[in-house]
Each structure stands twice: as C-alpha cells, then as structure tokens.
C-alpha cells in the first residue's frame, strides 16, 4: 500500500454545489451544531414546506426519529464535518431514503477521521500526516481512500517497511 | 494425476511452504502475452486444462488444502472480524454454502459428502474430520454462521456483493489472505469505491466496464479472472492489517536471495450470481510460486521477465514492488534469450 496511489483515490468524496430539489414537497435542513451560512441561504430560498434543525450528535434520537418518519417526497440537506455528514447519511439510508433524497454540503472543516487499518481505531481531528493512532500509537500515513460507512479515511503505519524511513510531515486537505 | 492434500506447512514464521513438482506444473500462470497490461480479462469459469488442472473444477482443492485451512484458523483466532457479514446478506451466505457444498461433494467424493433430505442436510468433510447435521437456512443448527462455517473449509478469500442502486456493495466477506487490503475498512463500499486506490483504471474506464459486466452476470454462468502481484516470503496473510508486521520483509531482498524469497502471487477470482438473493459472490483463490520454482518452466521464465520489465511505474509502486522489482528483473533476465 503506497501512499502516492492511495492519495487521489476515487473513493474520496467530491462535494458539488447543492441546489434545492425541485421535485420535493418537503425540505429538511440539518446542521451539526451551528447552521452555516450556505445552509441557511438554501433554507431561506426554499418556498416549499421546510424545517431546519441542528444536532451535536449524528445519532441524536430526535434526528433518527425524524428520519424514520421522513416523507417519500422529502429531501434532506446536511451540513457539518465530514464524519457527521456520512453518519447521518448512513442513518438516512437505514431509514429508507434513496441517494437522491440526501444532499451534502461541503464539509465545514478539513479535519479528517482516520481509520487505523492495524487496530481499527478511529482517530479524530486529523489535519496532517503522518499522525499518531489514538489506539495503537503507530504513526499513520493518511490516505484519500474513504469509507462512507466509517466516515473515515484509510491509514497504515508510515514507516512499516523501514523504521528509519518516516515520511516528512505534511498537511492534508 | 490429481494433487492430494499434504501435511500442514506454514505461511508465516519459519515458512515451510513448498510446491511439489506437480503443483508447479499446474500453477495458474497469469501472463497470456509478453507485455503486461491492464485488462478486465474475464472468461467463463468452465473446466480447462484437463484432469489435474487448477481449472478442472468449480473449486480447486490442491495439496495446500490443510495448510491453508490451518493458516485461516490462526488468522481468525487473532482477528475474528476478518469475517464480516451484514444482516441482509444472510441468505446470500446460505446460497454460497450450498453452492460450495454441492460442488465439493460432486467433484471430490473421496473427501466431501453431502446428503440432503429437504432442509435436513448432512455434511461430511473427511479432510478436516467434520461431520455435521443441520437445517438449511437455520443458523442456530450450525456450529458457526454459514459464511464463517463454509469459509473455513474452502481455500481462498470470499467477498459477497449485494446488488442495488445501480452498483455492487461488498456487504459480507471472509478475508484472511488478501493482497494488501482490509475487509474491515472496505466493508459496505460500492464496487467503485472499493477499487478507488487502484491506479490508472479510472482513465482507462476499466472499473466501470467491469461493474457493468458483473451487474449483468446471469445465474449459472460463473466467470473468472486472474490477478497477480509479487510477495516476499510465502506469506498468505499480506492483509493491510498486518502490513506493520510484514512490510519490513520487502527490505530483505538481495540479488542472492531474490529467487527463493520472492513469490509470484496469483489470484484466481471466480464471480458467481446467487439465484435467490441476487448477490454476486467472489472467491479469490491465492497461489504462491517462488521465482526459483517458476523458472523451472522455461517459457514462464521468459514471459515473467518480459511482463515485469514492461510493468508501468505506477503499477510497480501500487503493487509494492519498488524495493525489489529491479532485482527480480535482473534475476529473470538470464533466462530470456532476447537479452
């Protein structure tokens, strides 16, 4: 597993500008904690039946309940950190929403969740590589290979082949 | 002459794994032409090569059967989550169990026996001394869940893909001998995401074509393709989980030991549609052959040299060959009259 190739992986999500779904009769806008400006302006521009809410936790019971009762003609708009976006998306799928019913705004921060392939721990708020695993302590090479299920990026021990060969620290975007 | 399972050899620590002369002869050599290039290279999974060939049967049971099953037990004991099944894949797992038991019993009656009376099944695996009565479809009547049960009795890794939303999702699998990937991380991914890190394929449109082909795969018409890489030492478990344990072995290759320590690792991948769940099962059967055994076949030595020599830089890197690719090419060059 060589970092040069895992970076640029096609599994890395691409976030395109979000527009209101003209086919929907109900629009639900969900933010992680504070409602960001771009979600607010989508909400303001929506003239159909609509609601807006903020949740600190992607698995908030009230949020899950609103997904369970989500109308077939509804569209869900999500804003927040990348792990939040995909965790809520996963709950929405479980509740029966199809992919066209869930629209994601670009993540509000470049922090990543990192999945350590050795101990399977997820380390949060990662902004550079290599980064110490919060589980096993290994210095992890951050890749662009992304799991929607885990809401996290793949990583592996950066100097596993040659312990003296630690890559230089770099920012991840 | 068929190859009979031999005594247990190891794929770790002291690496006692060897290939007999007949195992070398039947090795599924993967290069159809001198220059290596990516292709979907799919063919019908029909018998090929006659008696004793690695393609004689739906499932190939060879001399390494007991060794590979023992290795699998070690991996699963250490990391039980190398076998993962999402709840909606239960039926697909039962169908795979059925497919495997039926074909093993038909193709190797000396080793396996299946007796069915409605849903009351009796399974005998004489190689592993297994003798179980169970009710088909009822997990409580088996010692382990269906994929975990049958997966410990068949060589190779297994992935089961659910088909929905215009894609295939890897929602179940047993993966103990992968070529540098992690089932725990890739679980639940679409076909395209799963192949996300593979270089070059996006611009060449290969993944999309392969996905479309597989989504149209009919029941009863399994297909196969071959994939390959090079592995240092006869290590089956080159999972990314264990990369921190085996990665350093890539630095141990010298011109003196390259022929005995570097193995051609070939995967015979069989893809099959399950009739009721509509899932597509993939079995990824791994064969290992040291370069020194490989060059006993002169035609293979020449072809291997040319395929490695023309391998694009991006693939050398992706396959993790950078540290010893040159030494392998140099070693093989002596067998190529073009040099």
């Amino acid at each position: 597993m060589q970092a040069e190739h895992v970076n640029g992986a096609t599994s890395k999500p691409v976030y395109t500008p979000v527009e209101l779904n003209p086919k929907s009769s109900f629009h639900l806008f969900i933010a992680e904690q504070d409602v960001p400006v771009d979600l607010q302006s989508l909400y303001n521009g929506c003239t159909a039946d609509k609601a807006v809410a903020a949740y600190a936790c992607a698995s908030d019971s009230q949020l899950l309940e609103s997904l369970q009762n989500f109308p077939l003609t509804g569209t869900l708009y999500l804003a927040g950190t990348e792990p939040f976006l995909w965790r809520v998306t996963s709950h929405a799928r479980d509740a029966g929403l199809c992919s066209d019913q869930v629209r994601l705004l670009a993540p509000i921060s470049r922090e990543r969740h990192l999945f350590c392939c050795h101990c399977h721990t997820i380390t949060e708020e990662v902004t550079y590589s290599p980064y110490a695993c919060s589980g096993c302590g290994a210095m992890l090479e951050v890749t662009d290979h992304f799991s929607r299920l885990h809401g996290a990026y793949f990583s592996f021990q950066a100097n596993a082949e040659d312990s003296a060969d630690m890559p230089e620290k770099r920012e991840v975007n | 002459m068929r190859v009979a399972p031999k005594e247990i050899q190891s794929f770790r620590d002291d690496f006692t794994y060897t290939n007999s002369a007949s195992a070398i002869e039947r090795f599924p050599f993967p290069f159809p032409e001198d220059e290596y290039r990516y292709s979907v290279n799919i063919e019908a999974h029909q018998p090929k090569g006659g008696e004793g060939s690695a393609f004689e049967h739906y499932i190939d049971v060879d001399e390494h059967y007991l060794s590979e099953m023992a290795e699998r037990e070690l991996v699963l004991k250490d990391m039980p989550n190398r076998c993962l099944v999402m709840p909606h894949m239960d039926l697909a797992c039962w169908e795979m169990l059925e497919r495997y038991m039926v074909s093993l019993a038909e193709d190797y009656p000396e080793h396996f026996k299946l007796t069915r009376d409605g849903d009351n099944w009796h399974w005998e695996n004489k190689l592993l001394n297994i003798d179980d009565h169970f009710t088909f479809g009822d997990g409580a009547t088996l010692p382990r869940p269906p994929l975990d049960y049958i997966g410990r009795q068949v060589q190779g890794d297994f992935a089961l893909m659910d088909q929905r939303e215009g894609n295939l999702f890897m929602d179940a699998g047993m993966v103990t001998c992968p070529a540098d990937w992690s089932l725990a991380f890739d679980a639940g991914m679409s076909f395209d995401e799963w192949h996300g890190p593979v270089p070059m394929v996006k611009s060449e449109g290969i993944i999309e074509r392969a996905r479309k082909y597989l989504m149209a795969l009919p029941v009863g018409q399994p297909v196969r393709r071959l994939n390959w890489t090079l592995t240092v030492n006869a290590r089956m478990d080159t999972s990314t989980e264990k990369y921190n344990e085996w990665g350093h072995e890539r630095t141990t290759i010298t011109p003196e030991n390259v022929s005995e320590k570097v193995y051609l690792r070939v995967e015979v991948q069989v893809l099959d549609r399950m009739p009721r769940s509509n899932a597509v099962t993939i079995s990824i059967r791994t064969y290992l052959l040291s370069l020194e055994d490989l060059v006993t076949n002169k035609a293979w030595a020449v072809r291997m040299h040319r395929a490695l020599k023309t391998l694009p830089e991006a693939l050398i890197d992706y396959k993790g060959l950078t540290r010893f690719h040159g030494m392998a090419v140099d070693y093989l060059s002596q067998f190529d009259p073009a040099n």
Side-chain angles (χ1 to χ4, degrees):
Chain A
M1 187 65 66
Q2 300 291 304
E4 298 91 299
H5 294 111
V6 187
N7 290 332
T10 51
S11 53
K12 187 176 197 293
V14 175
Y15 301 92
T16 50
V18 172
E19 293 174 3
L20 293 170
N21 185 350
K23 293 182 202 156
S24 271
S25 60
F26 173 69
H27 304 259
L28 178 60
F29 301 84
I30 299 288
E32 182 181 10
Q33 294 175 317
D34 302 320
V35 178
V37 178
D38 42 1
L39 189 72
Q40 186 67 48
S41 65
L42 268 180
Y43 176 81
N44 293 344
C46 177
T47 54
D49 189 13
K50 64 182 177 180
V52 63
Y55 298 98
C57 171
S59 302
D60 185 281
S61 58
Q62 230 182 332
L63 170 57
L64 296 184
E65 198 183 318
S66 64
L67 294 176
Q68 285 302 329
N69 301 318
F70 205 74
L72 280 171
T73 56
T75 299
L76 180 66
Y77 305 86
L78 301 175
T81 61
E82 195 164 49
F84 178 86
L85 298 178
W86 290 102
R87 182 57 51 85
V88 178
T89 301
S90 174
H91 291 318
R93 291 292 179 86
D94 291 345
L97 277 74
C98 70
S99 52
D100 196 42
Q101 283 182 284
V102 184
R103 301 193 173 188
L104 310 182
L105 278 70
I108 56 169
S109 111
R110 63 186 184 85
E111 289 171 8
R112 296 186 182 196
H113 281 196
L114 207 56
F115 179 95
C116 170
C117 77
H118 308 302
C119 72
H120 298 173
T121 301
I122 290 182
T123 302
E124 302 186 7
E125 298 179 8
V126 175
T127 55
Y128 57 88
S129 174
Y131 199 93
C133 173
S134 61
C136 65
M139 289 304 287
L140 299 174
E141 177 74 36
V142 180
T143 78
D144 283 344
H145 189 27
F146 183 78
S147 159
R148 285 148 169 78
L149 190 69
H150 295 296
Y153 289 86
F154 190 70
S155 66
F156 55 89
Q157 188 178 324
N159 62 342
E161 297 193 10
D162 179 355
S163 58
D165 186 14
M166 185 66 78
E168 274 185 38
K169 185 173 160 178
R170 65 178 172 87
E171 298 281 322
V172 292
N173 56 23
Chain B
M1 187 59 195
R2 270 193 204 105
V3 185
K6 61 185 182 187
E7 76 286 0
I8 294 175
Q9 298 179 321
S10 64
F11 296 98
R12 54 176 73 201
D13 304 323
D14 54 352
F15 296 105
T16 58
Y17 171 87
T18 56
N19 280 297
S20 69
S22 53
I24 296 172
E25 192 186 342
R26 71 197 298 282
F27 188 82
F29 190 72
F31 302 110
E33 48 197 322
D34 283 350
E35 186 179 332
Y36 178 72
R37 63 183 60 133
Y38 261 144
S39 62
V40 176
N41 67 338
I42 291 176
E43 64 178 4
H45 186 45
Q46 294 291 327
K48 186 171 88 170
E51 186 177 318
S53 151
F55 304 112
E56 182 185 2
H57 297 304
Y58 180 76
I59 295 170
D60 181 35
V61 174
D62 70 2
E63 66 176 14
H64 305 299
Y65 180 82
L66 296 177
S67 305
E68 288 181 39
M69 295 301 93
E71 165 69 14
R72 167 153 292 160
E73 290 294 327
L74 292 176
V75 175
L76 289 170
K77 193 176 173 201
D78 178 41
M79 298 187 90
N81 68 354
R82 296 294 196 88
C83 180
L84 291 175
V85 179
M86 295 187 191
H88 63 276
M89 298 303 283
D90 187 58
L91 174 61
C93 291
W94 281 104
E95 289 187 282
M96 196 183 95
L97 173 143
E98 175 177 21
R99 185 81 179 86
Y100 284 12
M101 284 186 176
V102 169
S103 69
L104 285 170
E106 278 176 5
D107 294 336
Y108 305 91
E110 69 277 32
H111 299 318
F112 306 96
K113 188 177 176 195
L114 178 65
T115 313
R116 291 183 285 183
D117 175 14
D119 284 340
N120 298 316
W121 291 28
H122 178 201
W123 171 245
E124 294 166 80
N125 176 339
K126 292 161 195 163
L127 292 171
L128 295 176
N129 298 316
I130 290 170
D131 187 325
D132 285 320
H133 294 263
F134 63 97
T135 306
F136 184 82
D138 180 357
T141 62
L142 269 183
R144 297 176 183 280
L147 175 61
D148 199 1
Y149 181 77
I150 195 66
R152 290 172 193 254
Q153 302 180 51
V154 182
Q155 292 162 271
D157 281 343
F158 311 101
L160 290 85
M161 299 189 293
D162 189 32
Q163 185 161 325
R164 62 177 191 272
E165 299 174 46
N167 216 318
L168 294 158
F169 292 85
M170 189 164 53
D171 288 346
M174 176 183 272
V175 175
T176 67
C177 51
D180 202 358
W181 61 283
S182 161
L183 174 69
F185 186 73
D186 287 357
M189 283 190 189
S190 70
F191 191 78
D192 309 57
E193 289 162 1
W194 177 19
H195 290 93
V198 185
M200 291 163 62
V201 291
K202 195 180 177 188
S203 57
E204 296 186 18
I206 290 169
I207 297 297
E208 189 185 0
R209 263 184 293 143
R211 168 168 46 75
K212 285 180 176 167
Y213 182 94
L214 292 180
M215 289 184 65
L217 188 69
V219 172
Q221 295 181 38
V223 295
R224 67 175 166 244
R225 69 177 288 261
L226 269 54
N227 197 7
W228 72 277
T229 188
L230 299 180
T231 295
V232 176
N233 297 324
R235 184 178 290 281
M236 269 289 171
D237 185 15
T238 51
S239 60
T240 325
E241 269 85 354
K242 295 293 179 188
Y243 172 64
N244 50 350
E245 294 177 17
W246 57 260
H248 71 93
E249 293 176 351
R250 287 177 171 166
T251 65
T252 63
I253 302 304
T254 64
E256 291 70 40
N257 68 19
V258 63
S259 65
E260 56 177 295
K261 278 180 86 80
V262 172
Y263 284 72
L264 173 59
R265 181 188 193 96
V266 172
E267 295 178 350
V268 177
Q269 304 177 351
V270 175
L271 302 111
D272 200 0
R273 171 82 61 193
M274 298 293 108
R276 283 158 280 176
S277 63
N278 203 41
V280 174
T281 61
I282 314 180
S283 81
I284 307 162
R285 172 65 182 282
T286 293
Y287 296 83
L288 292 166
L289 184 65
S290 67
L291 292 185
E292 67 181 0
D293 281 347
L294 184 149
V295 300
T296 59
N297 181 320
K298 298 304 172 201
W300 289 355
V302 172
R303 188 150 278 188
M304 187 75 207
H305 173 245
R306 294 176 186 176
L308 272 188
K309 199 176 169 182
T310 55
L311 192 64
E313 199 66 37
L315 289 179
I316 294 174
D317 256 16
Y318 171 69
K319 290 176 183 283
L321 317 182
T322 311
R323 293 181 193 269
F324 56 87
H325 172 262
M327 284 185 266
V329 171
D330 285 349
Y331 166 72
L332 291 166
S333 68
Q334 65 185 296
F335 305 101
D336 190 343
N339 277 281

